[in-house]
Structure formats: structure tokens, C-alpha cells
Amino acid sequence: MQRQDVVFSGMRPTGRLHLGNYWGALKSWVALQDRFSCFFSIVDWHMLTTGYSDTSKLRDNVSEMTLDWLAAGLDPAKCVIFRQSDVPEHAELALMLGMVTPLSSVENNPTWKEQLQELSKTKAGLAAEGGQTRYEENKQGANYELRTYGFLGYPVLQAADILLYHGNKVPVGQDQLPHLELSREIARKFNKAFGEIFAEPQPLLTPTPRVPGLDGRKMSKSYGNSIEIYESPASLETKVKGMYTDPGRKKATDPGRPEPCAENPPGCTAYAMHKLYADESFVKARGEACRAGEIGCMACKKELLCEMSGPFDEFRRRRDAYAAEGGVERILAEGALKARAVAGKTMDEVRKAMRLR
Ligand code: SF4
């Protein structure tokens, strides 16, 4: 049977999203919902694989993130938006796929290896500072213990997420290709053992523009340098005014270095934001004016604030409207129903192929 192209992607519920999340993923998702049958999942079980020791904010984070998705333009009439744990078939398929997944494949997962390396570094550092007791305390408090079956097996759950909807297109950046390769390998192993059930998911390479944080480093919640999608006008203005620029510029007439270079390695954050929010000719002109010392940073940032205000107003309007009508739980419940209708059919095929029924 010829199946239509299906896109699957998910995000761990980390609460409110920032511009790095928007430009790195959400913006592409909004475009994809008009072209494909799309399933977008808040993957709360994945959150547990590394954050099981503190789930106090999990529910709130799911709501906040769903609102941000809606604010960014995901439309429940065009795509399926749902919470992973509302669809238990994800767990059942992960269990079945686990039967055919070689241990070496998950043990060689680069993320797993990196986290274990981080863990041993932390362990060594803490032991040097205060010994084993200190490590045990931190292990409890900060959840350093990732040597778990759940975390080792998360790529299998990831494969189940995609294959459950016969997802054959997965939006990824270049750096995520190895993760998808593991899902493809698991699909092949299953098909070899039980017959051609799954198409191997293909990468849908999406643009991932550079989104620096307020201080010039990569935008990240943990660095405290982010601009949230739902930033108030006053807070957005404060953040734009405080953006890292070119420390070599003392006066408006000093020649600036807007792009990353040896003298200004991170490059100017405001300039990188112009690239995201203004058209090419404007960015070119602004870069030339900066290099020639013909514009001051405050004036340049004022222009940036004007460029960003329109899209941010739009986000706020949509988010407030969904929040006011208390729509999040309803949207997630409706999404779960649609997702389960597809997931249930897939599991029937899987059980049949495995001669479980
Ligand atoms: S003039 Fe604009 S682009 Fe140049 S350093 Fe200042 S803020 Fe950045």
C-alpha cells in the first residue's frame, strides 16, 4: 500500500521556549504542517530518561511548551499535537523494537557515551573536592546518575516514536543525523525479522541558522542568555539593549566588527539577529554602516527592536488567545485521540507480524 509522507518530530518538555528553539526547529515545523501529514509530540517520557529525579515541574512545562508551539504557529487543525504519555502504544512498540536492537548499537550511541564521560568527569571532580559522600549527595540532588536502563534505551523509544506513525520524514539538523541512523537501523532489523512493516525514516534537513544568546555564546536556558518566545515588550527591549555587540567600539564612529572574527570571536549578537529578522539588503547595508563607523550601536539596536516587535506581537496574541480559552488540555486530548487512532493500527500490524495475535 502506498503511504503518504508522514513527518514525526518531538521535543522534551523543558518549559518556555527561546529563539534558539524557534529558529532551530519550530519555524520549520510550522512550514511542514502545510506540506505533510505531521505528528508533533511533547515527549515527556524522554524527559524522564534524564530528569526522573525531579518531576515537580513536568506538567507545567508541558503546558508552557504547548502554548509556545501554538504561539509560534503550529495549528491543531493542520497537524497532530499530542503528549507522548497519552499514547501508551509508544511504550509497547519500544518494547518490541528493543527485542531486535543490538546492545552494541545503543552502547555506541554518541550521546550516551558523552553523558557517561561527563558523569565520570563530574565524579572525579567531586571526589577531588570532598570525596564519595559529596558525590552521593550531588548524585541525589542533581541527578548525575544516568547509568540507567531508561537512558541507555532512549534511542529505541525514539525509533518507536517515529515508526509508530510510519514517519518517513524526520526534520533534523546535520548534527542529528547519527541519531536518525539508529532509528533506521532498528527499522531494518525489525523488517528483517518480521517482514516489511516499516519504511526507513529519511532525514528532512532543515535550516539551522546561528542563534547567539545575549552574551554572544550559543543561546541556552542554562547560560541565562536567552530570549523567550513569550517575552514581554518591556523585557524584550531590555534584552535587545543589553545584547553583546563589539567591545572594540567605544564611540559610534569607531569601525565595528559585526561578524565573528579574530578580534571579536562571537560576533555581534544584534547583527546576527538582524540577519534573522530583516531582509538581506538591509542586513548588508547595516553591516557596511557598522564597519564604516556610520551608525551607533544604540541606533542599530533600536532598528532591531522594531524588526522583532511585529513577530513577537503576533506570538503574544496567539499565545494569550489559546491560554485564555484554556485550550491546551483540550488540544492535547484531541491530539492524543488522533495519534492513538494511527498508533493502534500500527500496533495491530506489528502484533500480527510478530504472531502475538
Ligand atoms: S552597529 Fe549594530 S552591528 Fe555594529 S556592532 Fe553595533 S549593534 Fe552590532
Side-chain angles (χ1 to χ4, degrees):
M1 181 178 57
Q2 188 73 28
R3 295 184 198 268
Q4 70 172 131
D5 284 333
V6 176
V7 168
F8 177 91
S9 200
M11 271 188 209
R12 291 171 172 228
T14 50
R16 289 197 179 172
L17 300 177
H18 56 64
L19 290 186
N21 305 123
Y22 174 70
W23 287 95
L26 262 182
K27 193 169 188 293
S28 303
W29 291 10
V30 173
L32 293 173
Q33 69 181 345
D34 289 320
R35 295 174 51 207
F36 301 107
S37 167
C38 292
F39 291 81
F40 297 123
S41 179
I42 292 150
V43 287
D44 49 352
W45 280 340
H46 280 284
M47 194 72 196
L48 296 181
T49 62
T50 52
Y52 59 86
S53 67
D54 181 5
T55 54
S56 56
K57 297 197 180 80
L58 191 54
R59 285 185 72 89
D60 284 348
N61 284 348
V62 169
S63 298
E64 292 293 336
M65 204 172 81
T66 309
L67 279 171
D68 277 345
W69 283 11
L70 298 165
L74 283 190
D75 181 348
K78 295 181 178 175
C79 63
V80 181
I81 297 173
F82 69 102
R83 175 172 33 209
Q84 183 186 34
S85 62
D86 286 337
V87 185
E89 287 83 355
H90 284 253
E92 187 183 354
L93 184 56
L95 180 71
M96 297 307 137
L97 296 179
M99 306 303 167
V100 297
T101 305
L103 198 50
S104 58
S105 300
V106 281
E107 283 175 340
N108 286 329
N109 167 20
T111 308
W112 161 254
K113 282 184 172 171
E114 274 164 29
Q115 291 285 355
L116 283 192
Q117 270 166 10
E118 283 301 311
L119 172 67
S120 52
K121 269 192 237 159
T122 312
K123 224 171 170 177
L126 289 168
E129 280 175 32
Q132 191 63 18
T133 315
R134 176 92 191 274
Y135 166 65
E136 290 298 337
E137 282 167 8
N138 277 278
K139 188 173 77 172
Q140 295 300 323
N143 187 18
Y144 288 127
E145 187 49 89
L146 291 179
R147 224 179 274 269
T148 60
Y149 172 67
F151 184 49
L152 176 69
Y154 89 83
V156 184
L157 181 58
Q158 215 165 44
D161 297 338
I162 300 166
L163 300 177
L164 196 52
Y165 303 97
H166 292 288
N168 59 349
K169 298 214 179 301
V170 180
V172 285
Q174 194 76 32
D175 55 332
Q176 294 158 320
L177 285 175
H179 294 106
L180 186 61
E181 188 46 45
L182 188 47
S183 294
R184 290 160 54 80
E185 182 194 341
I186 293 173
R188 280 195 297 273
K189 297 268 180 206
F190 185 92
N191 288 345
K192 193 161 177 226
F194 300 107
E196 290 292 317
I197 300 288
F198 299 117
E200 284 180 39
Q202 303 295 325
L204 199 59
L205 281 173
T206 51
T208 46
R210 200 173 78 87
V211 186
L214 298 171
D215 56 4
R217 290 184 291 174
K218 186 179 176 197
M219 188 173 286
S220 159
K221 233 180 222 183
S222 53
Y223 293 157
N225 65 359
S226 55
I227 298 179
E228 289 180 355
I229 283 178
Y230 188 61
E231 204 74 62
S232 73
S235 162
L236 181 64
E237 185 174 349
T238 307
K239 288 191 171 180
V240 169
K241 279 184 179 166
M243 275 176 186
Y244 174 85
T245 56
D246 174 0
R249 286 195 100 196
K250 303 291 177 228
K251 315 188 287 297
T253 48
D254 288 340
R257 293 154 302 192
E259 297 278 10
C261 60
E263 294 78 22
N264 185 16
C268 169
T269 293
Y271 188 65
M273 291 285 166
H274 275 304
K275 284 187 178 174
L276 298 175
Y277 287 93
D279 61 48
E280 216 173 302
S281 59
F282 180 89
V283 175
K284 189 164 175 272
R286 205 35 76 246
E288 284 165 5
C290 171
R291 284 184 204 93
E294 290 168 356
I295 183 168
C297 289
M298 279 330 273
C300 185
K301 287 176 172 178
K302 256 189 198 163
E303 290 172 343
L304 175 63
L305 190 59
C306 287
E307 291 155 20
M308 294 175 85
S309 291
F312 271 73
D313 285 346
E314 184 70 12
F315 285 177
R316 274 184 225 113
R317 187 190 57 70
R318 273 200 293 257
R319 199 183 198 278
D320 291 345
Y322 278 112
E325 69 182 44
V328 168
E329 280 307 319
R330 178 182 51 79
I331 287 166
L332 291 178
E334 287 171 3
L337 277 180
K338 291 181 197 165
R340 287 204 75 181
V342 179
K345 279 189 193 147
T346 306
M347 284 318 299
D348 282 345
E349 291 174 66
V350 168
R351 291 183 205 114
K352 202 170 153 200
M354 297 178 84
R355 299 191 180 80
L356 292 168
R357 296 242 174 106

